[in-house]
Amino acid sequence: MTNSRGSAGQLTAADARNEGSPDLNGNGSTADARDSQSPPPDTGATNGRDTAALADTSETLLKRYPGQEQETQRICLRDSQFEEEQVVRLLLQELHDRGFTDTFNQLQRESGFTLENEPVSQFRNSVLAGEWSKVKDSLSTIGIQTPDNLNAALFLIKRQQFLELLEARQLKQALLVLQNELSTLTNDIQQLHRLSGLLMCPSVEDLRTAADWDGSSGRSRFVVLESLQTYISPGSMVPVHRMETLFGQALAYQCDACKYHVRPANQGLYIDHMCPTSVFPQELQFSLKGHQDEVWYVAFSPDGRYLASGSRDKTCIIWSMSDFSIVHRFNGHQNEVAYIAWSPNSKYIVSASSDRTLRLWDVEDGTQMQVFSGHEETVTSCKWLGTNDRFISGGLDHRIIIWDINGTIVKQISSPRVHDLAVSSDCSLLLVADEKTDIHAYDLTTLTFMYSLNEPVEVMSMALSADARYCITGLRNGELHMWDLDTRTLVRDFSGHTQGQYVIRCTFAGQDDRLVATGSEDGLLFVWNRNTGQLLARLRGHTKTINVCTWSDKAAALATSSDDKTICIWPAYRGAPSHRPDSTDDLSTSDDDDDESHADDKSMVSGAHSTTSIDMF
């Protein structure tokens, strides 16, 4: 881009032609009064500021920077490490995207910089107008560097042209584009087969559905333009939404640097994000008593409204997160309940037991829907598979089984004895922790083995981050490891807790899984910063081994369960959905672990102040 600052007001040919005309997307127009260069009427105020005061300030600045008014007619208040042209062009793009047409044109005139040169502007307009012959001809003029990139860009263009011809029901022309042009631009036979299959679509609606395409009148041309920018030099065409991208990167950096990251980073752009040092946990802790024996598992419902718990007393309890009352108590298992999984719609739970069965429960009406008998030893883990009609289970009988909710075995594979399972949110990845020291990764769509991660000692539990980038493993020797699954490397270890013979299930926690938490055999809950490994808090609410801890974004809380027969709720910050600022006066406290009064299905909620100790670091 050329800068015509030396001769103020000089425009490129495209600028002169477009002045007072529609913007780059062909929408809107600029005011004729802009071209007259006449001053605006005197209203006595400028954006609410005193005009005289501004004039005085400008005069002071001119004295501070002598000679500047003769050179550029503007005041630069500071030096910057960033090139002025790049900064101005980013501002231009943002102004254009937000529809500030007059300001956009004024900034181009005043700075002498343009958002795009004339060939790029013509290319953009041709894409958005669907003038595909012009688009093809102009590809060589817009800064695409390599033949491979040129072919890839041309394929995107011709694919859009092909779809638009199909949409217009010009099937013969579409077939010619497919055979004579698209087929020469890619070696991806499967993609060409998918495109050829679109010729058989009986209607435009079927075409749009099959191609996942919203038509020439939708956003498809904008999407093509954005995709093409991958191959165009950013110096020629500024990447789409570049300023928004930079804001997002800055915010992500601040969240990475946030020590206690449990609150959404929604403070805006004026200040940096930083959670207060005392936000995790807050002063309240709720101790739920309803089980007759050790509580081996707890899990929040996806919508954050309920908490499910499973116990050595062979029962499952559904707790309301609104008032911590017992909603349902499920009886049916013959032995301990070791694992619970919620369906994605929060309507069902599957419970796994050492009685070799799984059971499906309807949380809305409190009924048992199905018993699943297919394992020959203890069922150690289960996970739903993205929908509300299938789940997967693993056990000590060397079996992994995929079920539908009617009790049918959909698929079954042999495996090592399973200690734990983890499934990615898109159901593409399955991790299996075996009885020894390995974690096995499978492609869940095909159930084919991909790779293994090896630990030095037995893996007792594991957890997968929401983005499936990281996996944490709880080891028998009391260490907690974090693996980067993209690079398949061990990136961090966490220590300080006590773990030996018991299964203690760890979890990611906090906003964007920025925290790591696990229980300990000494009854303490440990919380670390995921990125630094720094121990943030050591919390005591239990008197015996903590068996599991789990996090809910919706409830903004951790829940832990213990051999002391209780469940503790740890709100992440004051004002969290799980936080009850007015409930402490009404809490009843019981120090008797053998109290049987919970048999009437009414939970007892103990106040935190008399039972909790907190070490913050």
Side-chain angles (χ1 to χ4, degrees), residues 255-325:
C255 292
D256 280 340
C258 180
K259 184 177 179 181
Y260 300 90
H261 190 50
V262 294
R263 316 178 78 165
N266 55 8
Q267 76 289 338
L269 297 174
Y270 296 140
I271 59 173
D272 290 348
H273 168 77
M274 184 62 65
C275 292
T277 57
S278 60
V279 295
F280 188 83
Q282 280 298 314
E283 70 277 6
L284 292 178
Q285 171 211 332
F286 303 94
S287 183
L288 311 182
K289 296 185 178 182
H291 283 288
Q292 307 279 348
D293 210 329
E294 299 169 356
V295 187
W296 284 9
Y297 202 82
V298 287
F300 286 103
S301 61
D303 62 12
R305 296 174 57 207
Y306 301 108
L307 181 74
S309 59
S311 171
R312 191 179 180 184
D313 66 8
K314 308 173 188 178
T315 70
C316 301
I317 294 178
I318 306 297
W319 306 82
S320 169
M321 286 300 294
S322 63
D323 59 7
F324 301 112
S325 63

Side-chain angles (χ1 to χ4, degrees), residues 57-109:
T57 302
S58 299
E59 184 177 354
T60 301
L61 290 172
L62 288 172
K63 291 178 180 178
R64 187 183 303 171
Y65 298 92
Q68 290 293 317
E69 68 279 12
Q70 288 81 13
E71 180 183 349
T72 65
Q73 296 296 320
R74 65 188 179 91
I75 306 301
C76 185
L77 300 182
R78 62 178 176 83
D79 294 329
S80 172
Q81 61 177 312
F82 302 108
E83 291 184 15
E84 185 172 89
E85 178 182 354
Q86 295 185 13
V87 174
V88 171
R89 291 181 68 202
L90 291 184
L91 291 172
L92 286 168
Q93 183 189 59
E94 191 69 12
L95 289 170
H96 175 269
D97 290 350
R98 293 182 180 272
F100 292 103
T101 307
D102 291 345
T103 308
F104 170 84
N105 288 322
Q106 176 66 23
L107 181 56
Q108 284 198 133
R109 285 197 303 272

Side-chain angles (χ1 to χ4, degrees), residues 239-465:
V240 293
H241 314 311
R242 183 57 183 163
M243 188 172 289
E244 190 80 12
T245 299
L246 294 175
F247 288 156
Q249 291 171 351
L251 189 58
Y253 174 81
Q254 294 166 24
C255 292
D256 280 340
C258 180
K259 184 177 179 181
Y260 300 90
H261 190 50
V262 294
R263 316 178 78 165
N266 55 8
Q267 76 289 338
L269 297 174
Y270 296 140
I271 59 173
D272 290 348
H273 168 77
M274 184 62 65
C275 292
T277 57
S278 60
V279 295
F280 188 83
Q282 280 298 314
E283 70 277 6
L284 292 178
Q285 171 211 332
F286 303 94
S287 183
L288 311 182
K289 296 185 178 182
H291 283 288
Q292 307 279 348
D293 210 329
E294 299 169 356
V295 187
W296 284 9
Y297 202 82
V298 287
F300 286 103
S301 61
D303 62 12
R305 296 174 57 207
Y306 301 108
L307 181 74
S309 59
S311 171
R312 191 179 180 184
D313 66 8
K314 308 173 188 178
T315 70
C316 301
I317 294 178
I318 306 297
W319 306 82
S320 169
M321 286 300 294
S322 63
D323 59 7
F324 301 112
S325 63
I326 291 178
V327 179
H328 300 295
R329 184 189 297 272
F330 295 136
N331 296 279
H333 282 293
Q334 303 304 306
N335 286 322
E336 305 90 346
V337 178
Y339 208 98
I340 293 173
W342 282 91
S343 64
N345 63 6
S346 299
K347 292 183 178 180
Y348 314 115
I349 63 166
V350 170
S351 56
S353 171
S354 57
D355 66 7
R356 307 178 184 180
T357 70
L358 300 106
R359 293 174 187 257
L360 178 67
W361 310 90
D362 188 319
V363 174
E364 292 185 340
D365 61 21
T367 60
Q368 177 179 288
M369 299 175 61
Q370 191 63 254
V371 179
F372 303 85
S373 300
H375 287 282
E376 296 180 355
E377 291 189 45
T378 295
V379 187
T380 55
S381 185
C382 55
K383 299 286 184 182
W384 289 81
L385 296 179
T387 62
N388 300 299
D389 58 358
R390 290 191 178 189
F391 63 90
I392 189 169
S393 64
L396 299 180
D397 58 353
H398 302 271
R399 292 182 183 179
I400 295 175
I401 302 175
I402 295 178
W403 309 81
D404 68 24
I405 60 173
N406 297 317
T408 303
I409 295 178
V410 177
K411 193 170 291 186
Q412 184 174 188
I413 63 172
S414 298
S415 74
R417 289 163 64 92
V418 176
H419 272 189
D420 206 353
L421 297 174
V423 174
S424 62
S425 58
D426 64 359
C427 295
S428 64
L429 175 67
L430 169 67
L431 297 181
V432 180
D434 67 16
E435 62 176 331
K436 298 180 181 177
T437 62
D438 294 322
I439 296 172
H440 308 283
Y442 295 85
D443 182 333
L444 190 50
T445 58
T446 61
L447 287 181
T448 55
F449 173 79
M450 296 194 297
Y451 60 86
S452 290
L453 306 173
N454 182 259
E455 290 283 13
V457 297
E458 187 176 358
V459 179
M460 305 299 286
S461 70
M462 65 180 172
L464 188 62
S465 62

Side-chain angles (χ1 to χ4, degrees), residues 510-571:
Q511 288 290 314
D512 305 319
D513 292 337
R514 300 301 175 95
L515 305 178
V516 171
T518 193
S520 179
E521 291 183 5
D522 56 11
L524 295 175
L525 170 63
F526 287 73
V527 183
W528 295 269
N529 181 290
R530 185 194 76 184
N531 294 333
T532 65
Q534 180 184 0
L535 179 63
L536 302 180
R538 187 170 55 215
L539 316 172
R540 178 177 294 280
H542 294 285
T543 59
K544 295 182 180 180
T545 297
I546 294 177
N547 296 310
V548 65
C549 55
T550 184
W551 165 264
S552 168
D553 276 332
K554 295 288 188 180
L558 270 170
T560 55
S561 67
S562 170
D563 284 353
D564 65 9
K565 310 177 189 178
T566 69
I567 301 162
C568 286
I569 308 295
W570 307 84

